[in-house]
Amino acid sequence: MPLMCSLQTILVGDSGVGKTSLLVQFDQGKFIPGSFSATVGIGFTVMLLGDSGVGKTCFLLQFKDGAFLSGTFIATVGIDFRNKVVAVDGVKVKLQIWDTAGQERFRSVTHAYYRDAQALLLLYDITSKMSFDNIRAWLTEIHEYAQKDVVIMLLGNKADVSSERAVRTEDGASLAREYGVPFMETSAKTGMNVELAFLAIAKELKQRAVQPLDEPHFQIHDYIESQKKKSSCCAFS
Ligand SMILES: Nc1nc2c(ncn2[C@@H]2O[C@H](COP(=O)(O)OP(=O)(O)OP(=O)(O)O)[C@@H](O)[C@H]2O)c(=O)[nH]1
């Protein structure tokens, strides 16, 4: 097994000295002139989990860049991350999203990160019965390694390839009910429900962090049910 290590570096300094620009230059190799906006003070860590090939990396890139990576499948090695700021009820919320390798051989590396995640998006592939059957094992691992109050969402990805469907929508919904977690089908290819998944997570975490006790609690299940697009209603290739 290749030797891997993860290093975390924190950029500190006064507002406006160029911390974000330095990071963008390092990450994307470019400088964005005149784009100063103060980095938001509220941020959460979200982790993507699920078998290798279910579409975690594509799901993240669709959310981050609005693009779909088709063609050659390159499995993630260990763990990778991306940041994205979303607006939740007028407040900027920064999501740091960890994309984990689904391959078994990286499991000990990814376990180390579970405890730092405030939300977990657990994906299976609707064209792969095995990826769905493995969800129970993923949930067992989550209960072993993650924080007790972590927000979990179950996602049936690749809903655009309905001709090869191997897992019924009802079966996904029923498993989610059994574990008391919200559920929806998504497509990293078309973008269906991708933004909604992250937005619902951001809303739930933000309300937990800042909402006064006397205000009504945000209901993530109700929010998703009212917003999600059903795969059956859309024409897919
Ligand atoms: N049709 C379709 N293909 C998808 C979708 N999401 C991902 N794929 C394809 O599925 C393959 C695997 O996608 P990845 O995002 O790399 O899978 P992963 O879960 O990150 O895999 P690991 O990094 O090994 O854990 C790629 O060939 C993608 O093009 C989707 O929503 N629809």
Side-chain angles (χ1 to χ4, degrees):
M1 185 173 159
L3 179 65
M4 293 204 326
C5 78
S6 163
L7 300 174
Q8 292 196 343
T9 306
I10 302 173
L11 300 178
V12 291
D14 280 0
S15 178
V17 295
K19 299 183 293 296
T20 302
S21 298
L22 195 70
L23 185 59
V24 171
Q25 179 61 258
F26 178 64
D27 186 37
Q28 300 170 21
K30 65 182 178 199
F31 174 67
I32 305 168
S35 66
F36 177 65
S37 67
T39 302
V40 288
I42 176 167
F44 304 107
T45 306
V46 182
M47 231 177 151
L48 299 175
L49 295 174
D51 278 9
S52 179
V54 297
K56 298 179 297 297
T57 301
C58 291
F59 193 82
L60 174 53
L61 294 179
Q62 176 62 255
F63 175 60
K64 175 78 174 55
D65 304 325
F68 175 66
L69 270 189
S70 56
T72 333
F73 162 40
I74 303 168
T76 304
V77 174
I79 195 153
D80 192 9
F81 83 92
R82 296 277 195 285
N83 289 329
K84 179 153 173 164
V85 176
V86 292
V88 177
D89 308 325
V91 176
K92 279 183 177 179
V93 174
K94 181 161 129 188
L95 297 178
Q96 183 174 83
I97 306 152
W98 296 88
D99 175 21
T100 64
Q103 290 179 2
E104 186 83 39
R105 64 198 173 109
F106 295 115
R107 228 35 80 76
S108 56
V109 178
T110 53
H111 283 164
Y113 292 87
Y114 278 48
R115 203 155 292 284
D116 292 328
Q118 281 130 330
L120 303 171
L121 295 180
L122 179 54
L123 281 77
Y124 65 88
D125 170 354
I126 65 140
T127 71
S128 159
K129 179 79 165 50
M130 186 185 277
S131 73
F132 180 68
D133 291 342
N134 285 337
I135 289 294
R136 285 182 193 278
W138 280 106
L139 286 162
T140 304
E141 287 199 1
I142 288 170
H143 288 123
E144 190 172 342
Y145 294 103
Q147 293 178 35
K148 291 284 162 272
D149 62 347
V150 70
V151 178
I152 304 168
M153 188 181 289
L154 181 64
L155 302 173
N157 192 40
K158 305 196 190 178
D160 55 288
V161 271
S162 51
S163 56
E164 291 170 39
R165 179 183 283 278
V167 183
R168 296 180 312 164
T169 307
E170 308 88 89
D171 294 337
S174 146
L175 184 65
R177 256 195 315 278
E178 187 184 326
Y179 283 88
V181 300
F183 164 74
M184 62 189 148
E185 291 194 338
T186 60
S187 168
K189 184 173 183 179
T190 66
M192 183 185 91
N193 289 336
V194 173
E195 189 157 306
L196 174 60
F198 286 105
L199 208 59
I201 289 289
K203 274 179 176 277
E204 170 72 17
L205 292 172
K206 183 218 141 207
Q207 100 94 45
R208 283 188 187 191
V210 302
Q211 188 121 344
L213 286 174
D214 53 349
E215 282 190 21
H217 193 288
F218 170 68
Q219 300 293 336
I220 191 167
H221 286 81
D222 296 348
Y223 178 72
I224 286 173
E225 287 310 314
S226 68
Q227 303 288 317
K228 75 180 173 189
K229 293 192 183 71
K230 308 255 184 331
S231 52
S232 55
C233 74
C234 312
F236 292 116
S237 55

